[in-house]
Amino acid sequence: MSVPHPERVGTPDAPAGPSPRRASPWDGQVPVVAMVALGGALGATARYAAARLWPVETGGFPWTTFWVNVSGCAVIGVFMVVVTDVWAAHRLVRPFFGTGVLGGFTTFSTYAVDGQRLLDGGHPATAFAYLAATLCAALTAVGLAVAVTRRALVGRRR
């Protein structure tokens, strides 16, 4: 039996089979970035709509942003339990919904701007109360959502 190309057999630069396919940008981070951008646009639009539907008077406690951030954190808690403990989601679900939609909906920038506006408007007590209450309520919401979701799922598995 003869070897088709004896000069290539055993040489390190000889191809082992078909040449490898060229990497496409869609194989890497491009789809992830696209999903984050799409989800972020949806989440930010929802947050903007909430601010337009429930405006806050100048110098008043920013209840709309407060409740958007707290409810969004609760949804993040439920979502993360579901995608990590229950559902083997597609690799783009978490970037789209978790980082994009919920990241665009709950936003540190609006929280910070609201606090700064209260300070600039001469309402330091309201600013401090808002900043502290949002942080405490958001962390509590995500923690409770994780605990309640896990408990509900354990009861369902029995």
Side-chain angles (χ1 to χ4, degrees):
M1 187 146 94
S2 67
V3 177
H5 300 283
E7 70 279 358
R8 289 201 220 167
V9 174
T11 61
D13 56 3
S19 56
R21 127 179 128 81
R22 190 172 154 200
S24 164
W26 287 102
D27 291 340
Q29 294 300 309
V30 171
V32 174
V33 171
M35 289 297 102
V36 170
L38 178 61
L42 294 172
T45 300
R47 177 179 31 83
Y48 178 76
R52 300 290 293 174
L53 284 170
W54 300 289
V56 176
E57 66 183 59
T58 303
F61 194 92
W63 286 109
T64 303
T65 305
F66 175 84
W67 286 115
V68 161
N69 286 335
V70 172
S71 64
C73 284
V75 174
I76 287 170
V78 171
F79 175 71
M80 291 310 295
V81 169
V82 170
V83 298
T84 59
D85 295 0
V86 177
W87 180 35
H90 186 275
R91 74 180 189 97
L92 297 178
V93 170
R94 200 183 300 189
F96 171 75
F97 190 72
T99 306
V101 173
L102 293 174
F105 185 63
T106 62
T107 177
F108 181 76
S109 60
T110 303
Y111 165 77
V113 167
D114 285 346
Q116 187 64 50
R117 281 185 184 153
L118 287 167
L119 285 173
D120 292 346
H123 306 281
T126 305
F128 178 74
Y130 167 67
L131 295 172
T134 299
L135 179 62
C136 292
L139 290 173
T140 300
V142 76
L144 283 173
V146 166
V148 167
T149 304
R150 284 197 173 132
R151 179 163 292 187
L153 292 172
V154 167
R156 197 169 167 214
R157 290 182 191 155
R158 290 182 187 175

